[in-house]
Structure formats: C-alpha cells, structure tokens
Amino acid sequence: MNVKSLVKRNYKKQPEIDFPDYKSSIFRAPKNKKISIPSNLEIFGPIFNKKTIGELDNDLTLNFSKNKNSPLGHKIIVHGTVSDQFSNPIKGALIEIWQANAAGKYLHQDDKNPAPIDPNFSGCGRSLTSSDGSYEFLTIQPGPYPYPNRGIEWRPMHIHFSIFGESFGQRLITQMYFEGDPLINICPMVNSIADEKAKKSLVGKLDTSRSNIQNILAYKFDIVLRGVKQTFFENRQEGL
Amino acid sequence: MKNSRNILDETPFQTAGPFLHIGCMPNKIKINNLYKNDLGEVPFKNKNEIEMITVEGSVFDGNGIALDDVMLETWQCDENGQFFEDNGFARFIPDKSTKKFKLLTVKPGQVENLDGKNQSPHICLSISSRGLNMTLNTRIYFEGDDLINDPILSMIKNDKVNIDSLVAKKIKKNVYVFDVFLQGDKETVFFDM
C-alpha cells in the first residue's frame, strides 16, 4: 500500500534551539537531543474553513480601524505563496500574522516599549491561501523596536507568521524581515540560524513591479513547508 | 551543490516571541472586536461534557518557574480513533494567575501504525513561546492504558529517555495531570517527527 509521510527535517537549515546570544533561550531551550519518530500520523492535521475567515481579516489597515481612520505609517502589501518542498502549492493553508505598529509597539499588555499604541491598528491578521497557494496581506510597515537581551538590543522590522499546511507535522512559526534592514544581520534570533541561505530566505524581497502598479510598497515572501511524500509500504507481519 | 532530488529547503523557524497571542488568540488578550472566536477554543464540537476528560498542567522552564506566555496546541483523533479535518485541534495558554493550562477534550481512541499495530491513545502537543527558536513537539499518553505495546514508546524505550514525561498521570476519574519540563532532570521528551 502507498502511505504518506513527511520529508525528514533538515536541522542544518533551522535555528539552533540552545542559542545563548538570545537570552530567553537559556532557561527555555531543551538540552536533550530530540527523539526521532516516524511522522506517519502527524500527516493528518486540522483544515480551516473559509467561513471562519472574515472579509477584512487580511487587511490590517481596516480590520481594527475606527470610523475608517487609517493606522499611522505607510501601507505595504505582503504577498507570496505557500508550497511544500516538492514545489506543490498548498491550498487552504492558514496564515496568521502579528506585528508591531509603525512606532514599534505591540497591542499587548506585556509590551513595555514606551512607544505609542495606534488606536486604529491591532497588528493582527489571517488568511487562507488560494488554490495556487498564494496569499496577500495589506498592512502597515512595522517599526523596529528595542528589547532587553544582552542589555538593550534592537529587533529588525518584522512580521510574525504562523502557518498550518495540511499536516500537523508541517506546522511552521517564523518571522519575515524586510530587504535592506541593517538590523537583520546583528539580530541574535536571525543569527540562531547558521546557514546563510536559510537566513536569507526569511527576508521579504521588495517587489517593485507590484509596488508601482498599486502605489503601495510590496514585499514578496514565499514560504516552504515540509514535503509530503508517498512511499510504498509492504504490510507484513514483521513490519518496517 | 545542487540537491540531487531537487527539493526545496523548508522555511526556517523563528521564535513566536512574547506577543503571539495577538495573532493566534486575540480574544484572550481582549482584542475582542476582530475575530468572532479564537481558533481551537474547543477541540470537538457537540460532545457531551460528561464523557470528556480534562488534561491540566504547567510548562516549567529551567529555573522551575511555571510559564504563562507559552502557547500550547493539540491535535488528536476522536474516541474511535478517527481523524477529522474540522475537529481535534485545540489551542490554549496557561492561566495568568494559576499558571496552569486546562484542556477539556475526549479521550482519544487507538490509531493504527503503519505496520497495522495499534498505537496507544495519545494527543500530539506542540509548544511555542518566547525563548524557543523552534516549536517543540511531544505527545500526551495516559496512565492506566497499555503503554507497553505502543510501537513508538517501545521503539524509544532503550534510548534511556524519560518515558514518564510522556504519560499524563490520572488524579481522579477523567482528570489527568501533564506537566512539561523544558529543562532539568525531568526534561520532557521532545520529538523530531
């Protein structure tokens, strides 16, 4: 019989879990090696219904605005595709994003950065990918902000992404950075990834053609989830 | 060097950070007029509460402090071992004051492994937070079930792994405790799957 399984994760292309330059990891990162198990059951996963997604959920410039007032800052389009490692587009993938406002402040009681809240901006959005795996958000350019790490350090401008593909084992939480931001290369969270190409894959590219058509700066960020492969499995008594 | 099978690299993880609630459960932090409901508020709709179990616990860091800024996500089959697309997923955070999380769900049934052997009932659990550069994955098994014949547990039992950390302790009828230890002597087993 044919069974589906997930491509084994390549940890050389992933961040180091135990990375003391990122201070919060010191007492949180597990010290033991992960135990490898077959992924055949995590091949299933929740699928999210179109009906749960509201019309403005992917428009952060309007989904929290009062009386249609725009949030402060300049508008940006963030778009791209979600595919698996075999370049198959993933349809119906749930993307949830969250970000700081233009002043670098999150709408969150735990954010101690003394920057102003924007009453018209929540920094929260979500969307399901179309049949070709594409997604799009309209939002505001997030500001960089200081945070306590080894003393005060600065986060590069970024948007947090949470993605559900078709399998629970494809689950991904990451961040998109912005092309040209000088803070990227000195960010310990970015530098927890040793592989240069992997690091670069988190940088959204300025999409000039799109920016010129719509009069809004556009960034392209393509996301790759683990591949789902079909393998033949002989169902014998002795198993594997 | 070109990958011989020409497959793309998976996008790397980054930490979910301390403000993940904004994107994943805005209603929980009083961003109320955006989404009608947070996703995964209940794992199964239309189930009788009397037949459900509670799994409660805390997530401890290396200093033994119970965390309240972690997000937990669970994925499981129903009581008959059946997976559904629109049921079986839950998302929750520990309570700000008690630092305990609570999952009200159905006790999962058995699911077949690739080789036709039954896997003992379990719930897949993922944990994301500030300080975790990648989401962690583990499993919740249940005290009182046959755990000896589970293919995954028997596969890993020789690796000197802390199998106890994968088993929720039964404290009374339909109530289990499952604490997660990110570090230390009791460090929970996390999976690469």
Side-chain angles (χ1 to χ4, degrees), chain B residues 25 59 70-74 89-94 101 125-128 180:
Chain B
M25 34 207 335
V59 180
V70 288
M71 177 173 75
L72 299 95
E73 292 176 329
T74 54
F89 170 69
R91 197 178 234 183
F92 44 96
I93 49 174
F101 64 80
L125 170 68
S126 85
I127 298 168
S128 307
V180 176

Side-chain angles (χ1 to χ4, degrees), chain B residues 23-38:
Chain B
C24 298
M25 34 207 335
N27 287 296
K28 268 270 179 304
I29 53 159
K30 301 192 175 68
I31 300 179
N32 289 122
N33 31 6
L34 203 58
Y35 304 155
K36 205 168 136 213
N37 297 104
D38 289 339

